[in-house]
Amino acid sequence: MAIDSSPSSSSSSSSSDDDLLRSLLRLARDVPQYPQPKALPRGSLASLARRCKLLSALFDELLNGADRYLPRGASLCLREIQLVLQRFKALLADCSARSRMRLLLQSDTVSSEFHELNLELATLLDILPMSELEISDDVRDLVDLARRQSRRSQQSVNPNEEDLKSDVLKLIQQIEREIVPERSNLESIFHRLGLDDSISCRDEMECLEREIGDRVAQKWTPAMIALVGLVRYAKCVLFGASTPRPDLSAGKFSFSEQSELNIPQDFRCPISLELMTDPVVVSSGQTYDRESISRWFGSAHATCPKTGQVLTNLELIPNKSLKNLIARWCRENNVPFEVSEPAKIESSSVSANKAALEAARMTATFLVEKLVGSPSVETTNRVVHEIRQLAKLGSDNRVFLAEAGAIPLLVPLFYSTDSNLQLNSVTAVLNLSILEANKRRIMHTEGASSALIHAMAEGVTWRVKENAAASVLSLCSVNSYRRRLGRKQQLVERLVELACNGPDSTKRDALAAVLCLAGERENIARLVDAGVAKLAVEMLDSEEVGETAAAIVAAVSKRGGAEAVSAVPGSITKLVSLMRSGTERARESAAAALVLLCRRIGGSMVQKVAATPGVEWVIWELMGMGTDRARRKAASLGRICRKWAVASALAAGETGHTAALSAVSMAEPVVVASVGSGL
C-alpha cells in the first residue's frame, strides 16, 4: 500500500504530534509541582522532580521548534515516555492518598515501583533517536543527564525511613506486651512521622480505617489495625482531647457525623439504634441487625425485643430489600456502609488483635484518669467527647471504659448547664449502654435513674432529651430493669411528655421506650396514669410513629389497660382505619388491639366495633391480603363479631331464621375471605 504523503496527511500527523508534545510538557511540569505526599519516600520524589524538569526543556523546544513534525521512531518513543510519566503521576497520587503509616510500612514496595519506572524511562531515553530531532546541544546535554540519572537509580530505602519503620513496629510489640510507651519515645516517633497535632492524628486514623476496610494491604492489615489504636492513644496522650467538630455534637452512635441527615427510623436497629448493616427478620415479623438480635438470643431470650411476643423459632431471615435500600441511602448521603462479608472479617480481626486491644485499653484508662482531674468545663467536655467517640467504636472499647470507671464519672455531668458537655455525657452513657454488662453497671450507679429523668426533663437541647430517652430504651431491653425503671412515675411521665411535645426523632425514641415499658404488666397502671393510652390513640394516624403507637395500644390493652384505651374518644374508629390503610405492622397491631379490647371488655366493645362503618370489609381485606399474623388476628376479630351477632339476635327474641340471617349478614365477608385465603 502506498503511503499517503498528501498535505492533509502531513497536517494530521503534525496536529497529533502537537497534542503529544503538549501532553508531555504538561506532565513534565505537573509532576514536580505535584503536592508532596505527607509521608515517604522523599528522596525518590525529589530525584523524579529533577528529571522531569530536565525533560521539560526537550518537550518545550520540540513544541516551539520551526519543524514540529516528529519522525515516526521518535514519535513512538515519546508516546511510551508519556505512558511512563503518567504512571509516575499516578504513583504520586497513590502515595499522597495513602496513610503515613501504611506508606511507611510499604516503603520498600514503593521504592521498588519508583525504581522500575526509572529504569523504563532510562531505556526509552536510550533508544530515543536524538540525531533525528532538531534540538540544541544544551537540550541534548540535559536529556543525556536525565538518562544517566534514571540509569543510576537504585532500589534502596532511606536509612532514616527504615529506622522509623523499625521503631514503629517495636512500639506495637511493646504495647502488645502491655507495656505503656514512654511519652518521650512516643513524641519522637510521631514528630518524625509528621503527626504533630490532634487534627493530623485524626486524619491519619480515618485514612487507616478506610484502607483497612478497603483491604488494600492485607499483608500489613494486622499492623494497621494496631496502628489505629496506637494513633488514637498517642493523640490523647501527646495532644490532649481535641476540640469536638461542630457537626459531631448532635448525633449518637455511628450517626454523629451525619446528625443532620434525619436517618429513617426503619434503617435503625430497634435494639442498638445503630444503622443496620445486616438486617434480618425474626418470626414475629420485626427486623433487627443480625449482630444485635444474635446477642439477644445468646442471652437466653426467646422473645421479640420490640413487641415482647414469644417467638415460635429463632430463625433469622435476611432482609435483602431493606439492606439494598439502606445501602442506596448511604451512598446518596455519603455515609460509610459495608455491604459485604469483609467488613465482619475486619471487625473480628480488630477483636483478635492483641496490640489494638491493649492500645484501646490504655486509651480508655488514660481518658478516665484525665476526666477525674479535669480543671475546667472546656477540658472536661473535650475528654468526655473523646470517651463518647471511643464508646461508639466497638464493644471492646465499651468494656475498657466501663472497667476504668467511666460511668460513675459521666452520670453527674447530666446536670451540667453546658449544652455540649451535657450532650456528650448523655450520649457517651448511651453508647456504653449498648453492651449488656454495662447496662448493669449503669443501673447500679448511684443516681443514674434520677440523672436520666433530669436529662429528659431539663435537657438543654432536644437532642439531650432524645438521647436520654434512647438510654432508657436501651436499658429496658433487660426485663428486670424494665420493671425497675417502670416503677419511677417521673420517668414514665417524662417519656410521655417527650412523645407529646418533642420533634419527630425524639418522639420515636420516647415512644419506643414507652412500648418497651409496656411489655411488663406491673408498669401499665403508671403508664395509664401518665396518659399513655390517650397519647398512643392520638398518634395512630401519624406517618412517623403510627406503627409504634399501634403496638403500644395493643400492649396496654393486653396487660390491663383496655378500659383506658376504650375510654379515649375515637379509639375504635382510628384502629379500624389503621387496619385499612396502615403499614403491615401497624395493621397487625391494630387488629390485635381490637381483638384484645373485645375480649377484655366484652359485648359493649364488640358492639362498638361491629357498628363501625366498613369494619366487615376491613376484616375481609386483611384476611385476604395481610401478613400471617394479621390474618390470624383478623380471623379472630371476625369470629368475635359473628358470635356477637348471633348472640344479639337470639337475645332480642328473634326467630331462628331471622337470627341466622343477621349472623350471616355480619359474617358473610369473613366467610368468603376465609375460603379465598384457604384458612
Side-chain angles (χ1 to χ4, degrees):
M1 176 186 289
I3 298 177
D4 183 4
S5 58
S6 65
S8 61
S9 176
S10 299
S11 175
S12 175
S13 298
S14 177
S15 175
S16 176
D17 290 339
D18 282 353
D19 292 340
L20 170 62
L21 292 171
R22 288 192 184 95
S23 175
L24 285 167
L25 183 60
R26 184 167 56 251
L27 284 169
R29 289 174 175 175
D30 285 349
V31 170
Q33 296 176 359
Y34 205 88
Q36 176 83 7
K38 296 177 182 178
L40 313 168
R42 294 181 177 84
S44 299
L45 301 182
S47 61
L48 173 62
R50 288 194 296 270
R51 280 189 287 279
C52 285
K53 288 180 180 178
L54 295 174
L55 292 176
S56 64
L58 168 65
F59 306 141
D60 183 57
E61 183 158 323
L62 289 174
L63 184 62
N64 295 311
D67 183 8
R68 297 194 320 219
Y69 176 75
L70 297 173
R72 178 173 176 78
S75 177
L76 292 175
C77 189
L78 288 173
R79 290 187 187 281
E80 292 298 320
I81 292 175
Q82 179 189 33
L83 293 177
V84 171
L85 292 180
Q86 287 173 341
R87 288 164 61 192
F88 267 125
K89 186 174 180 179
L91 182 56
L92 283 174
D94 182 51
C95 288
S96 296
R98 297 188 197 187
S99 65
R100 305 182 194 201
M101 295 291 194
R102 177 186 159 212
L103 196 52
L104 177 64
L105 294 174
Q106 296 180 317
S107 56
D108 53 347
T109 304
V110 173
S111 177
S112 174
E113 292 180 38
F114 272 110
H115 176 65
E116 290 175 4
L117 286 175
N118 275 315
L119 291 182
E120 286 189 41
L121 180 60
T123 301
L124 291 170
L125 292 176
D126 280 339
I127 64 175
L128 179 66
M130 300 290 293
S131 59
E132 299 179 11
L133 300 175
E134 297 182 2
I135 53 176
S136 64
D137 292 339
D138 290 343
V139 172
R140 292 178 188 274
D141 291 341
L142 292 176
V143 174
D144 185 60
L145 178 60
R147 178 186 58 77
R148 284 186 280 111
Q149 288 181 351
S150 297
R151 183 64 65 189
R152 288 200 302 266
S153 172
Q154 297 180 356
Q155 183 177 345
S156 61
V157 180
N158 189 309
N160 293 331
E161 297 170 12
E162 280 294 290
D163 291 343
L164 180 56
K165 178 178 177 179
S166 176
D167 289 345
V168 168
L169 294 177
K170 287 178 182 178
L171 196 58
I172 293 175
Q173 295 171 357
Q174 183 179 356
I175 292 176
E176 193 171 21
R177 295 196 299 269
E178 304 181 24
I179 301 173
V180 179
E182 293 183 6
R183 181 187 176 95
S184 58
N185 185 35
L186 201 62
E187 192 170 12
S188 171
I189 291 174
F190 272 68
H191 176 72
R192 289 152 65 194
L193 281 165
L195 300 174
D196 296 321
D197 53 38
S198 61
I199 295 176
S200 61
C201 288
R202 184 191 63 206
D203 293 343
E204 179 71 5
M205 284 189 294
E206 292 176 354
C207 192
L208 276 169
E209 288 169 345
R210 183 169 57 251
E211 290 170 345
I212 292 168
D214 293 341
R215 303 176 69 88
V216 295
Q218 295 192 41
K219 173 186 175 182
W220 292 107
T221 293
M224 292 165 65
I225 292 171
L227 286 168
V228 172
L230 172 62
V231 176
R232 182 174 290 110
Y233 173 72
K235 180 175 79 74
C236 295
V237 172
L238 299 179
F239 312 115
S242 56
T243 303
R245 293 175 178 173
D247 60 336
L248 291 182
S249 62
K252 60 192 174 195
F253 298 133
S254 55
F255 306 131
S256 299
E257 295 85 346
Q258 295 84 25
S259 59
E260 301 299 325
L261 294 179
N262 191 23
I263 296 163
Q265 178 70 10
D266 287 343
F267 292 177
R268 296 196 289 177
C269 174
I271 298 175
S272 69
L273 303 182
E274 294 192 45
L275 186 71
M276 290 187 283
T277 57
D278 189 9
V280 293
V281 181
V282 298
S283 59
S284 66
Q286 303 294 327
T287 298
Y288 301 93
D289 195 54
R290 183 184 294 275
E291 181 181 356
S292 297
I293 193 63
S294 296
R295 194 163 54 242
W296 172 264
F297 290 158
S299 301
H301 294 100
T303 58
C304 174
K306 189 171 182 180
T307 66
Q309 178 184 349
V310 177
L311 301 176
T312 56
N313 61 73
L314 302 184
E315 183 180 359
L316 301 177
I317 302 173
N319 192 335
K320 294 183 179 179
S321 58
L322 179 60
K323 186 172 184 177
N324 291 335
L325 289 174
I326 294 174
R328 184 173 65 183
W329 182 87
C330 288
R331 287 194 300 271
E332 292 173 352
N333 292 279
N334 296 319
V335 178
F337 179 70
E338 294 291 344
V339 296
S340 59
E341 292 300 317
K344 296 181 182 178
I345 296 173
E346 297 298 348
S347 177
S348 62
S349 297
V350 173
S351 298
N353 191 301
K354 174 70 173 174
L357 289 177
E358 288 305 320
R361 189 192 302 276
M362 292 176 186
T363 305
T365 302
F366 176 83
L367 288 172
V368 173
E369 291 175 352
K370 196 76 172 176
L371 183 58
V372 174
S374 294
S376 65
V377 171
E378 182 182 359
T379 303
T380 301
N381 182 46
R382 291 183 179 184
V383 175
V384 173
H385 177 265
E386 291 288 349
I387 291 175
R388 166 188 170 180
Q389 294 297 97
L390 188 62
K392 78 173 187 178
L393 295 177
S395 58
D396 293 319
N397 294 330
R398 295 171 190 132
V399 170
F400 299 148
L401 285 167
E403 289 178 345
I407 294 172
L409 297 174
L410 291 169
V411 166
L413 300 178
F414 286 21
Y415 295 93
S416 174
T417 56
D418 183 272
S419 60
N420 290 325
L421 179 55
Q422 189 184 47
L423 174 61
N424 283 324
S425 59
V426 171
T427 310
V429 170
L430 172 57
N431 291 348
L432 289 169
S433 73
I434 298 172
L435 191 70
E436 288 293 313
N438 285 349
K439 294 183 190 341
R440 179 178 57 79
R441 290 187 172 101
I442 294 170
M443 290 299 295
H444 286 78
T445 298
E446 184 178 357
S449 300
S450 299
L452 284 170
I453 294 171
H454 173 82
M456 288 191 290
E458 305 295 336
V460 180
T461 64
W462 278 113
R463 185 65 69 175
V464 170
K465 299 178 180 182
E466 176 183 333
N467 286 5
S471 299
V472 173
L473 172 61
S474 178
L475 295 171
C476 283
S477 64
V478 179
N479 291 341
S480 59
Y481 301 155
R482 189 184 305 168
R483 290 190 289 270
R484 285 177 56 184
L485 292 170
R487 294 185 189 118
K488 298 182 179 296
Q489 187 66 34
Q490 280 188 313
L491 183 143
V492 174
E493 291 172 355
R494 295 293 80 76
L495 287 174
V496 173
E497 183 181 329
L498 292 179
C500 285
N501 304 320
D504 288 342
S505 58
T506 305
K507 285 181 179 179
R508 284 195 295 267
D509 284 338
L511 282 175
V514 168
L515 175 60
C516 205
L517 290 174
E520 292 294 330
R521 179 175 291 275
E522 69 175 71
N523 294 338
I524 298 300
R526 282 179 286 275
L527 289 170
V528 169
D529 290 343
V532 163
K534 182 174 183 295
L535 168 71
V537 170
E538 289 177 349
M539 291 186 172
L540 286 174
D541 51 6
S542 167
E543 292 184 4
E544 293 289 335
V545 294
E547 277 187 11
T548 307
I552 291 173
V553 171
V556 170
S557 301
K558 180 179 181 179
R559 297 177 177 88
E563 292 288 350
V565 172
S566 66
V568 179
S571 58
I572 306 305
T573 303
K574 283 195 172 186
L575 286 169
V576 171
S577 176
L578 196 61
M579 284 178 61
R580 178 188 301 114
S581 58
T583 63
E584 286 189 351
R585 294 176 186 173
R587 295 171 81 187
E588 287 180 9
S589 297
L594 287 172
V595 170
L596 289 164
L597 289 171
C598 290
R599 288 176 175 170
R600 298 293 188 272
I601 298 176
S604 61
M605 177 55 62
V606 181
Q607 183 178 7
K608 287 183 181 180
V609 173
T612 304
V615 67
E616 302 94 337
W617 294 104
V618 170
I619 294 172
W620 179 24
E621 183 181 56
L622 195 55
M623 290 182 64
M625 301 176 60
T627 63
D628 290 342
R629 181 170 178 253
R631 291 182 181 187
R632 291 196 303 272
K633 297 301 179 182
S636 297
L637 187 60
R639 286 193 297 271
I640 291 171
C641 291
R642 188 163 62 250
K643 290 178 181 178
W644 172 83
V646 173
S648 298
L650 293 175
E654 299 180 17
T655 64
H657 178 68
T658 305
L661 288 176
S662 178
V664 168
S665 67
M666 180 68 211
E668 181 180 358
V670 177
V671 173
V672 174
S674 299
V675 173
S677 60
L679 295 178

